[in-house]
Amino acid sequence: MTEYVLTAGAWLGAWAWDDVVPELRAAGHGVHPLTLSGLAERRDAPAGQQTHVQDIVGEIERRDLRDVVLVGHSYSGIPAGQAAERIGDRLTRVVFVDSDVPADSESFFSPGSDGRAAIAANGGFWPVPDADEFADQGLGAEQIARITAEGTPHPGATLTEPAVLTRPLGELPATYIKCLLDWPEPSPDVAELLKSDRWRLATMDTGHWPMLSQPRELARILLDAAGPGD
């Protein structure tokens, strides 16, 4: 039995996986959607990027999970990628869902970026975007309304602190899921990682939030990710 640990991107909590979880459990696997510190029901918890890494590692160790497929969507690819190398042989595969990937000593927002300015202007948090920002991503009006209503201003320190890696990310067994409506090609850093024989590429004909727009299709890719491939 595979144990899936699911982490969603900026502004989102474990609730974002509500339509994916039943598909994975119906296939006989353990599923653990995780809300990171500072978000959703944990919004009052202080959080930096390394807090989020420890959230993931701590959940896996507390539950003594083995055969882990660790899933990081969007921003959460950064802490998930760091956590993946820290859980050692507990890891079966890390799956990056249309996500950023960690680079040692680099942060989500570079110094001087508009994102850092937005954090500074909003009390240290990255505000949830207006509904217009979620247009053309395969989402219905109800799904967009849920994101904007249930989304949490994202703790800024998680986006400005640097990642810490101890070995090349390309050495990890990984699947990268590219959502084509968001942008048709992987970023240059992801394209470089995909040259590794331990990395696979999957694509989805939807936007940046596939757990909401195409949950069954996403679940099928996650189930495939647990299979042999290295």
Side-chain angles (χ1 to χ4, degrees):
M1 183 177 74
T2 298
E3 302 285 358
Y4 287 89
V5 178
L6 311 175
T7 58
W11 315 301
L12 308 179
W15 60 264
W17 300 99
D18 283 355
D19 292 334
V20 176
V21 168
E23 302 289 330
L24 299 177
R25 287 186 175 152
H29 300 294
V31 191
H32 312 276
L34 179 61
T35 293
L36 300 176
S37 296
L39 296 162
E41 72 274 14
R42 302 182 66 190
R43 69 184 64 202
D44 294 330
Q49 187 183 117
Q50 294 307 308
T51 313
H52 284 177
V53 176
Q54 189 53 46
D55 284 344
I56 299 168
V57 173
E59 181 77 357
I60 291 167
E61 292 181 343
R62 181 179 68 82
R63 293 181 178 272
D64 194 25
L65 301 180
R66 307 280 173 171
D67 298 320
V68 171
V69 171
L70 175 55
V71 181
H73 161 252
S74 192
Y75 152 77
S76 285
I78 293 179
Q82 295 170 78
E85 72 169 19
R86 299 183 195 182
I87 63 173
D89 62 4
R90 295 175 184 269
L91 181 74
T92 293
R93 180 164 292 268
V94 57
V95 180
F96 297 97
V97 181
D98 215 42
S99 75
D100 294 81
V101 292
D104 189 52
S105 301
E106 295 185 15
S107 59
F108 182 87
F109 283 140
S110 59
S113 66
D114 290 344
R116 290 200 183 217
I119 291 168
N122 287 275
F125 293 87
W126 193 22
V128 180
D130 294 334
D132 290 348
E133 296 293 324
F134 299 97
D136 302 320
Q137 293 292 318
L139 297 167
E142 184 175 334
Q143 294 165 326
I144 293 173
R146 188 178 186 194
I147 294 175
T148 56
E150 297 190 36
T152 311
H154 194 92
T158 68
L159 306 166
T160 58
E161 289 181 0
V164 180
L165 293 173
T166 60
R167 62 188 175 111
L169 199 62
E171 294 180 2
L172 291 173
T175 296
Y176 192 90
I177 301 174
K178 186 73 199 77
C179 295
L180 302 178
L181 286 183
D182 186 53
W183 191 259
E185 300 291 338
S187 64
D189 54 346
V190 171
E192 187 65 27
L193 287 163
L194 286 165
K195 294 178 181 178
S196 167
D197 59 8
R198 306 207 76 193
W199 279 56
R200 310 174 194 162
L201 176 65
T203 60
M204 296 185 68
D205 190 17
T206 190
H208 186 60
W209 291 272
M211 68 282 287
L212 298 174
S213 60
Q214 291 188 359
R216 289 184 178 179
E217 292 84 348
L218 176 58
R220 282 198 291 269
I221 295 174
L222 296 180
L223 291 169
D224 181 67
D230 295 334

